[in-house]
Amino acid sequence: MFCKNWTKKEWLRCLLCFVIYFALILGSELPGFASPLYWVLCPVAAAFLGAGPLTCVMNMGKGLGGAAALPALWFIVMKLMGEFSMPLMIIGMLCMMILAEVVRGSVGYEKKSSIRAATPFLSLIVFASFLPLYFQTDAYSNGALEEMGAEYAAKIASYGNFGMFLLVLVLCVIAGMISERLSEKILKMEEPERPIYLHNGEGRGAS
């Protein structure tokens, strides 16, 4: 596991990253209650804002679990709050988490490029919770009708087409990759194949 032998300070750092990740994802969605179009596009904002904490946690250590740790915790908390009631949402999000872990492991946990490879899948986790909008449009709009009213629900349903699906998917991947590269600079992850930050000091070569 990526967190093996972590110090208390590193556990606290991971917890702080989760709090920031959760707050950013939640904050990216809130304006959507006022605008149906923004609601459909909010996964793009979530992909951009969430990539920073995700990169930070993956950069803290190598091993299985680093890519999916924050999304899994977010999923659990939201599920406990009564969200994600439609099976397609759950399947989509879990698939993105699994793919991120598989891709990162295939590239090699010790390589920074593994973080880059996992990022496109992690960028689509929030988007995956919107899959019913595109593939179960009637059921999704009925839920919006109960919570937000007929006009809002009708607008939401009008965006449930394959063209919008592709547009938001591509924008999420682009936004996540841009944010991840910016995070690399902030974390001073300079060399493409340099061993990433490890808790025990291995791979902490001079920048």
Side-chain angles (χ1 to χ4, degrees):
M1 293 291 288
F2 80 108
C3 58
K4 185 179 180 180
N5 298 324
W6 269 9
T7 65
K8 184 182 294 185
K9 183 177 180 181
E10 286 160 335
W11 278 108
L12 289 174
R13 185 184 303 161
C14 185
L15 178 60
L16 177 61
C17 285
F18 170 67
V19 172
I20 294 172
Y21 180 78
F22 186 89
L24 290 174
I25 299 301
L26 183 62
S28 71
E29 295 179 341
L30 288 178
F33 292 101
S35 168
L37 178 58
Y38 179 83
W39 178 253
V40 175
L41 294 174
C42 75
V44 181
F48 183 82
L49 295 173
L54 289 168
T55 301
C56 185
V57 168
M58 286 189 284
N59 192 46
M60 286 174 61
K62 64 180 181 179
L64 179 66
L70 299 190
L73 288 172
W74 169 73
F75 173 83
I76 291 170
V77 172
M78 295 300 289
K79 189 65 177 171
L80 291 173
M81 293 170 62
E83 301 296 328
F84 308 144
S85 58
M86 302 180 75
L88 187 57
M89 296 177 174
I90 298 171
I91 293 170
M93 288 184 283
L94 292 179
C95 284
M96 290 302 103
M97 293 182 208
I98 292 169
L99 285 170
E101 289 289 350
V102 170
V103 169
R104 189 172 182 227
S106 298
V107 173
Y109 294 112
E110 75 283 357
K111 297 178 181 178
K112 185 179 73 173
S113 54
S114 71
I115 298 177
R116 294 180 177 178
T119 294
F121 300 99
L122 296 173
S123 300
L124 293 173
I125 287 176
V126 175
F127 174 69
S129 70
F130 284 72
L131 289 178
L133 168 63
Y134 305 103
F135 299 103
Q136 297 175 333
T137 307
D138 290 342
Y140 193 90
S141 61
N142 286 339
L145 177 63
E146 294 177 4
E147 295 184 13
M148 304 299 296
E151 183 179 353
Y152 189 97
K155 284 283 189 180
I156 286 290
S158 70
Y159 297 125
N161 56 72
F162 192 65
M164 183 63 79
F165 168 81
L166 288 178
L167 174 64
V168 180
L169 185 152
V170 171
L171 290 176
C172 283
V173 172
I174 292 172
M177 292 176 67
I178 291 173
S179 182
E180 189 276 333
R181 293 302 178 92
L182 292 174
S183 300
E184 286 184 12
K185 295 184 181 297
I186 293 172
L187 295 170
K188 298 181 179 180
M189 298 162 58
E190 297 175 357
E191 298 174 18
E193 298 302 329
R194 168 185 166 185
I196 61 177
Y197 174 88
L198 304 180
H199 75 277
N200 59 5
E202 297 174 14
R204 295 186 187 178
S207 299

